Amino acid sequence: MNMSSEHEKLPRQAINLGDTAQIKRVLDEVASQVVLDAGYPENFTISNRKIALGLLTCGFALVAQFYPKTYPHITTVQILCVVGYFLLNTLLQVYMMICERDIILFTNPKTEANTGICLSTHLPRFADKYKIVIACSESKSSSAARPPMVLERSIVDWFYEDGHLADDVFKKDVVKLLKQYESAETRKELKDR
């Protein structure tokens, strides 16, 4: 059975409409699923690099903790491990700030003709405006880069008073935004020819 069809069959629980973090999490999950269901395969490169840096960082901590010698003989090793742990953890945080930003999903191209996309969202604390941005995953200097498509609406348009998400309305809005992005992509390709 397909994972997305299992995901759709499960009823969503009502959420606390005063908790913007929970609202953002629910909307992010559904928006990501809509993009993946549209045929864009997820790109795990950035996640894999984060995992590798995290494992390397943990390796320094493990060496410092379980080095086979006793205290007076391992002072240098412990200092090097603590410094290595600090540097790699800092590198991991900087990598996440530079590469991820507010992006919740990186995809590969759906076909050879188009590019992958970055799906980013933003919901400020104590605000009701949820912003979805679909942008090209290619670098800004690339000729394939296009202007991003943005949808910003109030979350009250997508939630019932009892805290349940109006899935069909939200999915329809995300699909419409994705189609606008794809049609702009097609127009740019025809214009470049």
Side-chain angles (χ1 to χ4, degrees):
M1 183 178 274
N2 188 352
M3 191 67 160
S4 64
S5 63
E6 286 179 17
H7 185 68
E8 289 179 17
K9 288 181 182 179
L10 297 174
R12 292 194 196 283
Q13 290 183 333
I15 63 169
N16 178 3
L17 294 177
D19 185 358
T20 54
Q22 189 177 20
I23 291 170
K24 183 176 181 337
R25 183 186 52 81
V26 168
L27 292 174
D28 288 353
E29 285 176 4
V30 175
S32 296
Q33 193 60 46
V34 167
V35 171
L36 293 173
D37 289 345
Y40 285 92
E42 189 168 358
N43 183 339
F44 296 101
T45 305
I46 290 182
S47 297
N48 290 342
R49 288 179 185 158
K50 283 179 10 186
I51 290 170
L53 275 172
L55 287 173
L56 199 56
T57 302
C58 290
F60 274 100
L62 289 172
V63 169
Q65 180 68 30
F66 298 112
Y67 197 73
K69 297 202 178 193
T70 57
Y71 171 67
H73 306 293
I74 63 165
T75 307
T76 307
V77 172
Q78 282 186 331
I79 290 172
L80 289 174
C81 287
V82 168
V83 169
Y85 180 85
F86 173 76
L87 291 175
L88 283 176
N89 204 14
T90 302
L91 180 65
L92 178 62
Q93 295 301 316
V94 169
Y95 181 76
M96 288 182 351
M97 284 178 15
I98 292 172
C99 293
E100 276 189 345
R101 300 173 303 273
D102 286 334
I103 299 173
I104 60 169
L105 178 68
F106 292 92
T107 70
N108 290 320
K110 183 164 48 169
T111 64
E112 293 295 323
N114 61 6
T115 61
I117 61 172
C118 296
L119 177 68
S120 60
T121 61
H122 187 67
L123 178 63
R125 190 170 185 195
F126 305 119
D128 72 329
K129 294 291 185 186
Y130 182 74
K131 181 176 173 181
I132 305 171
V133 179
I134 297 179
C136 179
S137 65
E138 302 294 323
S139 66
K140 301 262 187 236
S141 62
S142 172
S143 63
R146 346 186 131 58
M149 291 290 167
V150 179
L151 171 67
E152 186 170 5
R153 287 187 49 191
S154 175
I155 58 173
V156 298
D157 295 338
W158 298 317
F159 282 95
Y160 297 112
E161 289 178 9
D162 63 355
H164 285 88
L165 175 66
D167 276 359
D168 52 342
V169 176
F170 181 67
K171 286 179 181 179
K172 198 180 302 180
D173 287 343
V174 176
V175 167
K176 183 179 174 186
L177 182 67
L178 186 59
K179 287 190 185 303
Q180 286 175 348
Y181 178 79
E182 289 174 340
S183 67
E185 185 174 33
T186 305
R187 282 194 301 263
K188 183 174 184 333
E189 287 173 6
L190 292 174
K191 187 177 177 183
D192 289 344
R193 288 184 187 172

